[in-house]
Amino acid sequence: MEALIALEVFAAGTMATLILGLLSKWVDRKVTARVQYRRGPPLLQPLYDVLKLLGKETMVPAAARGTGFLLAPLAGFAAVALGGSILWYSILVPGGAFVGDLIVVVYLLTIPSLAVIVGGMSSGNLYGAIGASREMKLMVSYELPLIVALVTVLVGAKVGSLRLGDLLAYQRAAGPTALRVSGAVALVVAVLCVQAKLGLVPFDIPEAETEIMGGPLVEYSGAPLALFYLMRAMLLAVLPLLLIVVFLGGVAAQWPGVLWGAAKYLALMVVIILVRNTNARLRIDHAVRFYWWILTPTALVALALAFVGL
Amino acid sequence: MSWRIWALTKSPWVYHVNVGACNNCDIEVLELLTPRFDVERFGIVLVGSPRHADALLVSGICTRQAAPRLQELYRQTPAPRVVFCIGSCACSRGIFHDAYHVAEAGPVDAVIRAVDPAATIVYVPGCPPKPEAMILGIVKALAALKGGTPAERAA
């Protein structure tokens, strides 16, 4: 019985994440178009893209390692779907999910980057290998500040629990954690880390269409590429949602409150998209230096502030 | 019309191939992709790898050295796929008609047909064609595709 409920939650959560992800992808492309004084693609464009990719021939290069090449997108997709489901569950069911679900979500959301690395390495393409190595360096850079930022919130809020539901309940009583000094600093750090996690400019160094032709994805076509596309779209939904749950008080599940939640989500999305549209791509060593010598100390300062009680 | 083709007409991703053009067509192709013409309205996106592409925008006369590479690129593009011959050179070789360095198989369409006799090929003449002409060519090609590819019509 419990397994059945878990399966239903997973299916519903995946669908919700999928729909929200494709919508976010459209918002991303539309806002980008408006920034450039264009009209941009129609609402269903991401759906058309996915359908088209699913209908295309799937090619596995002769030099590729077939198993890893085809399993990597599946693993990435499944991890984001599961992470998204846990997030939705803790938002919709007060006190839901399980102890330590924050840790599980954070770990699940690193799997997409690992999937990209495995896919790029097993594609047998030089550009794929370069992209995978850059993705690895980027991961080593942004994971530490992101986790320190999340820990800052836990320390500052004194929730005494790693359950997302408890964090939400605390914020409902005491206001969003981003209103504290330490929380606000941590939010800025986390948004910049999410930018890299999403693979958006200025941190799209692993993909870099103009220099390494899509990096790890260079050899992908058809259904596996569609899975990567969906994985990226779902990350675009899940990561801002995680930030909202941890920093901005979550999304209320009743009628007028849900609009406020949607406004928070859209505002966060627009910030991410505007950063993407007003910056140029960094070099990988610049990005590593930025995360290690600017963002990590900032996150540590926020952590110290949280310990002091600010 | 199969749903694959329908989805293809809704989101054609293009890859840009130069097989011996004077760069004038290439400049016009790049202009086509600028915000001014906003081809993303039709779902057209420039991609960096032929594996991601649905349409090859080919410019140039197809020189002897470029011909096998063009054929390889065509094979690397997953089906269903469309080839656009951009400019007079790609359509008919233009002023280089009897030059010494052109591919023996013929202009771009002949080189492609040597690999896939049933290939869908679209011609956009002009020296170079204006971006408006290319948009017209793409729109007409998509309309024709909705009636089925030549291979499907023959079957």
Side-chain angles (χ1 to χ4, degrees), chain A residues 58-75:
Chain A
T58 300
M59 290 174 150
V60 180
R65 201 70 181 161
T67 333
F69 186 73
L70 293 175
L71 279 182
L74 207 60

Side-chain angles (χ1 to χ4, degrees), chain A residues 171-186:
Chain A
Q171 293 187 83
R172 233 167 265 136
T177 50
L179 292 182
R180 300 160 160 274
V181 180
S182 60
V185 177

Side-chain angles (χ1 to χ4, degrees), chain A:
Chain A
M1 194 61 207
E2 258 182 22
L4 198 67
I5 292 176
L7 256 182
E8 278 167 8
V9 167
F10 180 60
T14 307
M15 271 324 281
T17 319
L18 211 61
I19 292 168
L20 188 64
L22 289 177
L23 273 177
S24 319
K25 196 98 181 170
W26 175 75
V27 170
D28 175 24
R29 288 172 73 171
K30 188 75 177 178
V31 171
T32 304
R34 294 312 299 164
V35 168
Q36 299 172 350
Y37 294 103
R38 297 190 279 126
R39 289 189 49 161
L43 177 63
L44 291 180
Q45 189 59 50
L47 187 65
Y48 296 147
D49 288 350
V50 170
L51 278 181
K52 188 240 4 214
L53 287 174
L54 287 176
K56 301 264 304 179
E57 187 184 357
T58 300
M59 290 174 150
V60 180
R65 201 70 181 161
T67 333
F69 186 73
L70 293 175
L71 279 182
L74 207 60
F77 176 84
V80 187
L82 190 56
S85 307
I86 296 175
L87 262 185
W88 285 113
Y89 192 66
S90 54
I91 288 172
L92 295 177
V93 183
F98 45 90
V99 177
D101 50 2
L102 177 60
I103 299 180
V104 175
V105 169
V106 167
Y107 269 91
L108 281 176
L109 292 183
T110 57
I111 294 182
S113 309
L114 294 176
V116 166
I117 291 171
V118 170
M121 284 291 184
S122 54
S123 69
N125 187 304
L126 197 58
Y127 292 115
I130 293 174
S133 113
R134 289 182 180 185
E135 177 85 41
M136 237 182 274
K137 285 169 198 147
L138 205 56
M139 247 182 105
V140 170
S141 331
Y142 68 66
E143 284 296 339
L144 182 63
L146 180 62
I147 288 170
V148 172
L150 295 178
V151 168
T152 301
V153 169
L154 294 174
V155 169
K158 294 200 179 61
V159 188
S161 156
L162 285 169
R163 192 200 291 256
L164 286 168
D166 293 346
L167 201 56
L168 280 173
Y170 166 83
Q171 293 187 83
R172 233 167 265 136
T177 50
L179 292 182
R180 300 160 160 274
V181 180
S182 60
V185 177
L187 176 61
V188 172
V189 172
V191 167
L192 284 169
C193 293
V194 159
Q195 193 86 13
K197 234 173 157 54
L198 289 170
L200 296 178
V201 186
F203 306 112
D204 65 334
I205 313 155
E207 267 154 56
E209 293 271 317
T210 40
E211 39 173 317
I212 53 172
M213 305 157 90
L217 305 186
V218 69
E219 291 287 355
Y220 277 98
S221 63
L225 186 61
L227 274 179
F228 267 132
Y229 188 100
L230 284 174
M231 183 190 91
R232 281 278 150 79
M234 285 162 82
L235 269 183
L236 201 55
V238 171
L239 285 171
L241 213 57
L242 176 68
L243 291 189
I244 287 174
V245 167
V246 174
F247 292 97
L248 300 173
V251 182
Q254 70 270 29
W255 166 236
V258 79
L259 286 180
W260 179 225
K264 285 188 246 183
Y265 181 77
L266 267 181
L268 202 55
M269 280 288 300
V270 168
V271 167
I272 290 173
I273 297 167
L274 286 182
V275 169
R276 165 195 147 149
N277 274 297
T278 48
N279 282 280
R281 186 185 311 126
L282 290 174
R283 230 166 57 195
I284 183 70
D285 55 325
H286 291 170
V288 172
R289 207 170 297 155
F290 174 71
Y291 280 110
W292 274 103
W293 300 118
I294 298 181
L295 277 196
T296 307
T298 314
L300 289 174
V301 167
L303 187 61
L305 286 175
F307 267 114
V308 175
L310 281 168

